[in-house]
Amino acid sequence: MTAPKTLDAPYEPPRIFGPLYRTASLGILLVVTLIAFEGMSISTVMPAVSEALDALDLYGISISAFLIAGLFANVVAGLWSDRRGHAVPFLLGVGLFTAGMALAGAAWSKEVFIAARVVQGLGGGSAIVAIYVMIARVYAPEARPRIFAALSAAWVLPALVGPGVSGIIAGTVGWRWVFYGIVPLVVPALVMLLPALRGDGGETPAPGSGSAPGSGPRSRPLPMTLAALATAVGAGVLLAGADRLHTDPVTGGIATAAGLAALAAGLPRLLPAGSLRFGRGLPTTIMMRGVLAAAFFGVNSYIPLVLEKELGFGLAQAGIALTVGALGWSTGSYLQARREWDRALLVRLGAAAVTAGILLTGLGLVPGLTGWLMAPAWLVAGLGMGVSMPSVNVTAMRQSPDAEQGANSAALQVVDTLGSGLTIGFGGVLVNLIGHDDIATGYLTIVALMAVIGLAGAAAAGRMRDAS
């Protein structure tokens, strides 16, 4: 137990790498790092994979398959975690992710590789939600900002070295070993996490020892599973339809409408009541995760494109801005964990910083100025994400009853995936429709729209506070 605060011994939150949490923290970070490394490496090796499997269209399909499968797994894993505890969805998720990596390495056809990406998405989506629940149930509340900061940092190293390392591996021993190489690293992560999975790694009660399964509408297995399926399929159909709007407006329009209908049927059931109208407290907290992801990643994905195609940067140079953004994100995550904050205020400031960074990237296209201005601009945006995203996670776990931690962890992942996936997809539509021959115009249109989303998030962040 933590010591009470006294005049002689000021209270300090338990350290996430101290004796109490060390093995759980290392295991969690290793799993997240492996998932992040795979995510950062896939774009580097996809040209080689597409060539080897004779499938030039494999890139987009494989990314979509991973995201959609992960979205479905988010909900099922959250439901299971609330009803039976986080151990099974975590172990199953890690097992599926590992099996998917092995299958991708062994893939002998396009269809097998896509199936492998689906398996990876199911595993990754399940494991991430289970990790969030594990943090809520194993770590003391005052330690959670630090472990969420560490989770953000776990994405930085793969962002920095993942593309380079995977390129070296693919160029020397072959692209298959980018996938095979991750498999044996899973074992030490599981060994370190065994105490937390047994429920004896922290100060809070283990699942099932102190909280009953939820009894609300988001605790019902069949309706939730169907809603998750409708949401995942709707997102996939919507993105596919939007992608075809510029080549086949009729078919693309029908698919887009069908996807929106499926989303409208499924998504509200996956979120706390009042989320889509930004109800005060937990509903707004959940939605802020999607708003932030939508604004940031809606621009992040197109910075290399405009730097390369409009400003003549090389691929390595264009990637520097994204690397700087990742460093800003890590720095912001570190800063938010150093003391106690008004989390709603921190999210508001973070959303404002993301908006400012988005707008500042436009300076790189002003005649007479340099495209290198996008790097410090994206540092500002990354800093905003670093202070706000962990704050959203911490607040959501604090506002969640024990029996709904899984459902709300899943909701965070669902709105994150939808927010980023939809804005990235529609950004591509805008580039094709508005700026196909003038990418700068398309990019500036994206900047304007994402800045509006960021400003809306800054305005809504105050509603994260509970009505009381």
PDB file of all heavy atoms in Angstrom, residues 440-453:
ATOM      1  N   ALA A 440      -1.037  21.264 -53.464  1.00  0.00           N
ATOM      2  CA  ALA A 440      -1.012  22.305 -52.441  1.00  0.00           C
ATOM      3  C   ALA A 440      -2.420  22.772 -52.093  1.00  0.00           C
ATOM      4  O   ALA A 440      -2.749  22.977 -50.915  1.00  0.00           O
ATOM      5  CB  ALA A 440      -0.159  23.485 -52.914  1.00  0.00           C
ATOM      6  N   THR A 441      -3.276  22.933 -53.107  1.00  0.00           N
ATOM      7  CA  THR A 441      -4.655  23.366 -52.849  1.00  0.00           C
ATOM      8  C   THR A 441      -5.412  22.326 -52.043  1.00  0.00           C
ATOM      9  O   THR A 441      -6.130  22.653 -51.095  1.00  0.00           O
ATOM     10  CB  THR A 441      -5.379  23.631 -54.180  1.00  0.00           C
ATOM     11  OG1 THR A 441      -4.676  24.649 -54.903  1.00  0.00           O
ATOM     12  CG2 THR A 441      -6.812  24.076 -53.939  1.00  0.00           C
ATOM     13  N   GLY A 442      -5.268  21.076 -52.440  1.00  0.00           N
ATOM     14  CA  GLY A 442      -5.911  20.003 -51.682  1.00  0.00           C
ATOM     15  C   GLY A 442      -5.421  19.952 -50.252  1.00  0.00           C
ATOM     16  O   GLY A 442      -6.213  19.791 -49.311  1.00  0.00           O
ATOM     17  N   TYR A 443      -4.110  20.118 -50.060  1.00  0.00           N
ATOM     18  CA  TYR A 443      -3.550  20.069 -48.711  1.00  0.00           C
ATOM     19  C   TYR A 443      -4.078  21.220 -47.862  1.00  0.00           C
ATOM     20  O   TYR A 443      -4.461  21.020 -46.700  1.00  0.00           O
ATOM     21  CB  TYR A 443      -2.024  20.109 -48.762  1.00  0.00           C
ATOM     22  CG  TYR A 443      -1.390  20.149 -47.392  1.00  0.00           C
ATOM     23  CD1 TYR A 443      -1.304  19.000 -46.614  1.00  0.00           C
ATOM     24  CD2 TYR A 443      -0.927  21.352 -46.857  1.00  0.00           C
ATOM     25  CE1 TYR A 443      -0.758  19.029 -45.345  1.00  0.00           C
ATOM     26  CE2 TYR A 443      -0.380  21.393 -45.582  1.00  0.00           C
ATOM     27  CZ  TYR A 443      -0.289  20.230 -44.838  1.00  0.00           C
ATOM     28  OH  TYR A 443       0.246  20.274 -43.571  1.00  0.00           O
ATOM     29  N   LEU A 444      -4.101  22.418 -48.409  1.00  0.00           N
ATOM     30  CA  LEU A 444      -4.585  23.567 -47.639  1.00  0.00           C
ATOM     31  C   LEU A 444      -6.063  23.430 -47.291  1.00  0.00           C
ATOM     32  O   LEU A 444      -6.511  23.907 -46.245  1.00  0.00           O
ATOM     33  CB  LEU A 444      -4.334  24.855 -48.420  1.00  0.00           C
ATOM     34  CG  LEU A 444      -2.853  25.262 -48.551  1.00  0.00           C
ATOM     35  CD1 LEU A 444      -2.717  26.481 -49.458  1.00  0.00           C
ATOM     36  CD2 LEU A 444      -2.240  25.534 -47.177  1.00  0.00           C
ATOM     37  N   THR A 445      -6.829  22.775 -48.155  1.00  0.00           N
ATOM     38  CA  THR A 445      -8.229  22.501 -47.834  1.00  0.00           C
ATOM     39  C   THR A 445      -8.322  21.549 -46.645  1.00  0.00           C
ATOM     40  O   THR A 445      -9.142  21.741 -45.730  1.00  0.00           O
ATOM     41  CB  THR A 445      -8.947  21.896 -49.049  1.00  0.00           C
ATOM     42  OG1 THR A 445      -8.810  22.768 -50.170  1.00  0.00           O
ATOM     43  CG2 THR A 445     -10.424  21.687 -48.749  1.00  0.00           C
ATOM     44  N   ILE A 446      -7.478  20.518 -46.656  1.00  0.00           N
ATOM     45  CA  ILE A 446      -7.430  19.586 -45.522  1.00  0.00           C
ATOM     46  C   ILE A 446      -7.056  20.330 -44.247  1.00  0.00           C
ATOM     47  O   ILE A 446      -7.663  20.133 -43.187  1.00  0.00           O
ATOM     48  CB  ILE A 446      -6.425  18.454 -45.811  1.00  0.00           C
ATOM     49  CG1 ILE A 446      -6.921  17.572 -46.952  1.00  0.00           C
ATOM     50  CG2 ILE A 446      -6.177  17.612 -44.560  1.00  0.00           C
ATOM     51  CD1 ILE A 446      -5.895  16.560 -47.443  1.00  0.00           C
ATOM     52  N   VAL A 447      -6.044  21.193 -44.340  1.00  0.00           N
ATOM     53  CA  VAL A 447      -5.602  21.969 -43.179  1.00  0.00           C
ATOM     54  C   VAL A 447      -6.763  22.780 -42.605  1.00  0.00           C
ATOM     55  O   VAL A 447      -6.991  22.806 -41.381  1.00  0.00           O
ATOM     56  CB  VAL A 447      -4.422  22.889 -43.565  1.00  0.00           C
ATOM     57  CG1 VAL A 447      -4.225  23.997 -42.520  1.00  0.00           C
ATOM     58  CG2 VAL A 447      -3.148  22.076 -43.713  1.00  0.00           C
ATOM     59  N   ALA A 448      -7.509  23.449 -43.460  1.00  0.00           N
ATOM     60  CA  ALA A 448      -8.621  24.274 -42.987  1.00  0.00           C
ATOM     61  C   ALA A 448      -9.679  23.430 -42.278  1.00  0.00           C
ATOM     62  O   ALA A 448     -10.167  23.793 -41.197  1.00  0.00           O
ATOM     63  CB  ALA A 448      -9.236  25.031 -44.163  1.00  0.00           C
ATOM     64  N   LEU A 449     -10.036  22.289 -42.871  1.00  0.00           N
ATOM     65  CA  LEU A 449     -11.067  21.443 -42.274  1.00  0.00           C
ATOM     66  C   LEU A 449     -10.610  20.837 -40.956  1.00  0.00           C
ATOM     67  O   LEU A 449     -11.367  20.781 -39.974  1.00  0.00           O
ATOM     68  CB  LEU A 449     -11.467  20.340 -43.259  1.00  0.00           C
ATOM     69  CG  LEU A 449     -12.188  20.820 -44.526  1.00  0.00           C
ATOM     70  CD1 LEU A 449     -12.408  19.654 -45.477  1.00  0.00           C
ATOM     71  CD2 LEU A 449     -13.509  21.484 -44.177  1.00  0.00           C
ATOM     72  N   MET A 450      -9.354  20.364 -40.900  1.00  0.00           N
ATOM     73  CA  MET A 450      -8.861  19.758 -39.667  1.00  0.00           C
ATOM     74  C   MET A 450      -8.687  20.805 -38.571  1.00  0.00           C
ATOM     75  O   MET A 450      -8.855  20.523 -37.386  1.00  0.00           O
ATOM     76  CB  MET A 450      -7.538  19.035 -39.921  1.00  0.00           C
ATOM     77  CG  MET A 450      -7.633  17.845 -40.882  1.00  0.00           C
ATOM     78  SD  MET A 450      -8.897  16.633 -40.447  1.00  0.00           S
ATOM     79  CE  MET A 450     -10.129  16.985 -41.712  1.00  0.00           C
ATOM     80  N   ALA A 451      -8.361  22.047 -38.953  1.00  0.00           N
ATOM     81  CA  ALA A 451      -8.265  23.111 -37.957  1.00  0.00           C
ATOM     82  C   ALA A 451      -9.638  23.392 -37.344  1.00  0.00           C
ATOM     83  O   ALA A 451      -9.743  23.670 -36.133  1.00  0.00           O
ATOM     84  CB  ALA A 451      -7.697  24.381 -38.590  1.00  0.00           C
ATOM     85  N   VAL A 452     -10.682  23.324 -38.142  1.00  0.00           N
ATOM     86  CA  VAL A 452     -12.040  23.496 -37.614  1.00  0.00           C
ATOM     87  C   VAL A 452     -12.345  22.403 -36.592  1.00  0.00           C
ATOM     88  O   VAL A 452     -12.905  22.664 -35.510  1.00  0.00           O
ATOM     89  CB  VAL A 452     -13.070  23.483 -38.755  1.00  0.00           C
ATOM     90  CG1 VAL A 452     -14.491  23.402 -38.203  1.00  0.00           C
ATOM     91  CG2 VAL A 452     -12.914  24.724 -39.621  1.00  0.00           C
ATOM     92  N   ILE A 453     -11.964  21.163 -36.911  1.00  0.00           N
ATOM     93  CA  ILE A 453     -12.179  20.059 -35.966  1.00  0.00           C
ATOM     94  C   ILE A 453     -11.393  20.303 -34.682  1.00  0.00           C
ATOM     95  O   ILE A 453     -11.892  20.099 -33.567  1.00  0.00           O
ATOM     96  CB  ILE A 453     -11.779  18.722 -36.613  1.00  0.00           C
ATOM     97  CG1 ILE A 453     -12.730  18.380 -37.768  1.00  0.00           C
ATOM     98  CG2 ILE A 453     -11.783  17.592 -35.572  1.00  0.00           C
ATOM     99  CD1 ILE A 453     -12.345  17.136 -38.541  1.00  0.00           C
TER     100      ILE A 453
END
